């Protein structure tokens, strides 16, 4: 009977059937002698290198936290694993596999993870997992390959690092290539915990310990890298094919035990550890690549401020930008970001969908990021965000519209006040610069509703002509504005020449 500590009792397999049938490998190929290999009885463990011993030291401390967001963590690692940037990776992985096979044949199966961990960390994870993880074999449920626990939440309270527990009973019967695959699987979880910080209960949906798109992209990248030397690792996947999963005769006897376990594992998931069972649904590789190209890959060329754990959002009630943790923000699959002055502002996709030209701009860029020119003032950018959230923007000139006079406006004596018309002109010019047609249309419609203005005409003209000739629609409005006069209390147009505003017609 399999025994384990009380805190791992949900993973324990106490069924009679689990011990009635010996384990076997469901995959055996004449081209791969290792698939027929029955491991020798485990010998007396040999002394491990100092680096490997640190993996088993419960008092070893490592507070490494790269403070990256999970999208950048994926982009960084995929770029690191590119054969152009890491040409020796395939050769190193081949040597790791050969060494693992040798240890396996010598009967030192339990030494394999400890002796290859740091090499895998340096080659696959850019050394970020060095001394950052605690590694141990445990007796777990046969459908579980292992479990990765966030920092300080392992079964040993002395361990403050990431804890990786591998299923001893299952992996003792597996070929070395499967042991490598399962170890890498859990190292991916550990990498997210180191890169993005410890898991928090309120951030459980962020993906550090899940098997979603972020995990899938890194897993497939490593899997393809391992295949370059002609020796794929089929057990490196979303789920796994270890142990008794493929044994029909075992499943018939084990069904009563297995189904309740799966029900428990899905309904009462622990937020602080991974749930690496066999039948995790895979995601299509094409969908993963499309997501990566749109969400993660653009970060390689965007400002470093987009790599951090926080992001800005617009608060329409206070008309300010607020910074929040990305783990608590809307997921990247349901949002877009505008980059302005080196910082990004996250906006819900549903808000973007209300503006066809903006949605078209995102589709044309092929990513979820659009960079806004630094020539656009911060306040005008805020007004643009206000338009996205409220379908209008301030300052609100209702009292001017209430006069019922059709614009362009007549210039009255300048007086301090809100820059109603100046804001509209700047918003229109932002629409021209970005190609956002709805922004242009909204601003121009407002400009034609001003009957009078008390704003400084010099500021208005500097904005109209300061950065070059205005486009056709704005030029037409400007001509009417410069030719506007007030005669007999009614609005009328003048021909060529000078208006009573004292400004020459263009």
């Amino acid at each position: 009977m399999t025994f384990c500590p009380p805190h791992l009792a949900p993973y324990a397999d106490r069924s009679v059937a689990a011990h009635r049938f010996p384990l076997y490998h469901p995959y055996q190929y004449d081209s791969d002698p290792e698939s027929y290999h029955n491991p020798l009885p485990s010998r007396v463990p040999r002394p491990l290198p100092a680096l490997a011993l640190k993996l088993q030291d419960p008092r070893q401390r490592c507070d490494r936290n790269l403070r990256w967001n999970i999208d950048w963590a994926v982009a960084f690692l995929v770029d690191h694993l590119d054969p152009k940037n890491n040409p020796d990776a395939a050769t190193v992985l081949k040597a790791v596999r050969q060494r693992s096979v040798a240890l396996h044949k010598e009967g030192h199966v339990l030494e394999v993870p400890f002796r290859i961990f740091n090499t895998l960390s340096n080659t696959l994870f850019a050394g970020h997992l060095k001394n950052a993880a605690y590694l141990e074999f445990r007796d777990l449920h046969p459908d579980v390959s292992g479990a990765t626990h966030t920092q300080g939440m392992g079964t040993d309270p002395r361990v403050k690092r990431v804890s990786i527990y591998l299923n001893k009973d299952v992996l003792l019967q597996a070929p070395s290539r499967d042991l490598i695959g399962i170890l890498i699987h859990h190292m991916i979880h550990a990498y997210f915990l180191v890169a993005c910080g410890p898991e928090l209960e309120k951030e459980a949906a962020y993906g550090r310990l899940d098997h979603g798109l972020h995990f899938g992209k890194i897993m497939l990248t490593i899997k393809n890298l391992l295949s370059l030397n002609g020796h794929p690792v089929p057990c490196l996947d979303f789920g796994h094919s270890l142990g008794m999963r493929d044994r029909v005769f075992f499943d018939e006897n084990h069904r009563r035990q297995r189904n309740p376990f799966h029900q428990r594992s899905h309904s009462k998931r622990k937020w602080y550890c991974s749930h690496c069972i066999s039948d995790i649904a895979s995601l299509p590789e094409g969908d993963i690549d499309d997501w990566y190209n749109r969400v993660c890959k653009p970060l390689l060329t965007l400002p470093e401020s987009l790599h951090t754990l926080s992001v800005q959002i617009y608060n329409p009630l206070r008309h300010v930008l607020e910074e929040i943790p990305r783990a608590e923000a809307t997921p990247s699959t349901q949002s877009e970001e505008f980059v302005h002055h080196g910082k990004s502002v996250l906006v819900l996709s549903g808000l973007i969908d209300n503006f066809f030209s903006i949605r078209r701009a995102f589709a044309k860029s092929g990513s979820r990021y659009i960079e806004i020119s630094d020539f656009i003032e911060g306040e005008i950018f805020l007004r643009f965000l206000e338009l996205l959230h409220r379908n209008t923007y301030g300052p609100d000139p209702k009292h001017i519209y209430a006069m019922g006079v059709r614009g362009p406006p007549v210039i009255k004596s300048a007086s301090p006040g809100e820059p109603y018309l100046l804001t509209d002109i700047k918003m229109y010019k932002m629409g021209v610069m970005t190609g956002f047609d709805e922004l242009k249309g909204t601003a121009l419609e407002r400009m034609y509703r001003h009957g009078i203005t008390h704003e400084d005409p010099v500021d208005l003209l500097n904005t109209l002509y300061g950065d070059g000739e205005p486009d056709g629609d704005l030029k037409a409005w400007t001509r009417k504005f410069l030719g506007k006069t007030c005669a007999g209390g009614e609005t009328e147009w003048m021909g060529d020449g000078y208006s009573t505003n004292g400004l020459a017609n263009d």
Side-chain angles (χ1 to χ4, degrees), residues 400-410 448-452 484 489-491:
I400 298 178
Y401 297 164
M403 298 175 62
V405 180
R406 176 71 176 172
V410 173
Y448 272 109
R449 294 181 65 185
H450 290 271
I452 63 171
K484 195 71 176 291
E490 296 182 358
T491 301

Side-chain angles (χ1 to χ4, degrees), residues 410-425:
V410 173
I411 297 177
K412 298 293 186 179
S413 58
S415 61
E418 294 284 359
Y420 302 108
L421 185 58
L422 186 63
T423 299
D424 290 336
I425 295 173

Side-chain angles (χ1 to χ4, degrees), residues 54-71:
K54 290 183 179 180
L55 291 168
Q56 297 177 301
D57 185 358
R59 300 190 183 278
Q60 175 72 34
R61 301 299 295 267
C62 181
D63 299 324
R64 186 176 301 124
N65 182 354
L66 302 180
R67 300 186 182 279
W68 292 345
N69 66 65
I70 197 167
D71 296 331

Side-chain angles (χ1 to χ4, degrees), residues 351-360 387-388 391 438:
L351 298 176
I352 302 296
D353 293 338
N354 297 327
F355 299 84
F356 174 76
S357 63
I358 302 178
R359 172 54 65 197
R360 181 181 58 194
L387 176 66
L388 296 180
N391 210 32
E438 290 87 354

Side-chain angles (χ1 to χ4, degrees), residues 198-214:
E199 182 83 308
L200 301 176
E201 186 171 7
K202 63 181 179 180
E203 298 178 355
Y206 192 48
R208 296 177 179 92
L209 295 171
D210 289 342
H211 300 88
L213 293 165
H214 300 88

Side-chain angles (χ1 to χ4, degrees), residues 309-331:
L309 284 171
S310 60
V311 66
Q312 295 182 114
I313 61 171
Y314 175 74
N315 185 334
L317 298 179
R318 300 176 55 200
H319 186 56
V320 295
L321 294 177
E322 298 177 343
E323 195 167 280
I324 64 171
R326 283 187 177 270
E328 300 178 21
T330 304

Side-chain angles (χ1 to χ4, degrees), residues 40-107:
L40 298 173
S42 182
R43 299 177 181 176
V44 177
R46 300 172 297 184
L48 294 174
L51 289 176
L53 288 174
K54 290 183 179 180
L55 291 168
Q56 297 177 301
D57 185 358
R59 300 190 183 278
Q60 175 72 34
R61 301 299 295 267
C62 181
D63 299 324
R64 186 176 301 124
N65 182 354
L66 302 180
R67 300 186 182 279
W68 292 345
N69 66 65
I70 197 167
D71 296 331
W72 169 245
V74 174
F76 168 83
L77 204 60
V78 172
D79 185 63
H80 167 73
L81 295 174
D82 190 322
K84 297 179 181 178
N85 302 326
N86 199 349
D88 299 328
T91 303
V92 174
L93 292 175
K94 181 178 180 180
V96 167
R97 177 181 170 86
Q98 292 172 343
R99 185 183 184 191
S100 301
V101 171
L103 290 170
H104 202 272
K105 290 181 178 180
E106 293 171 3

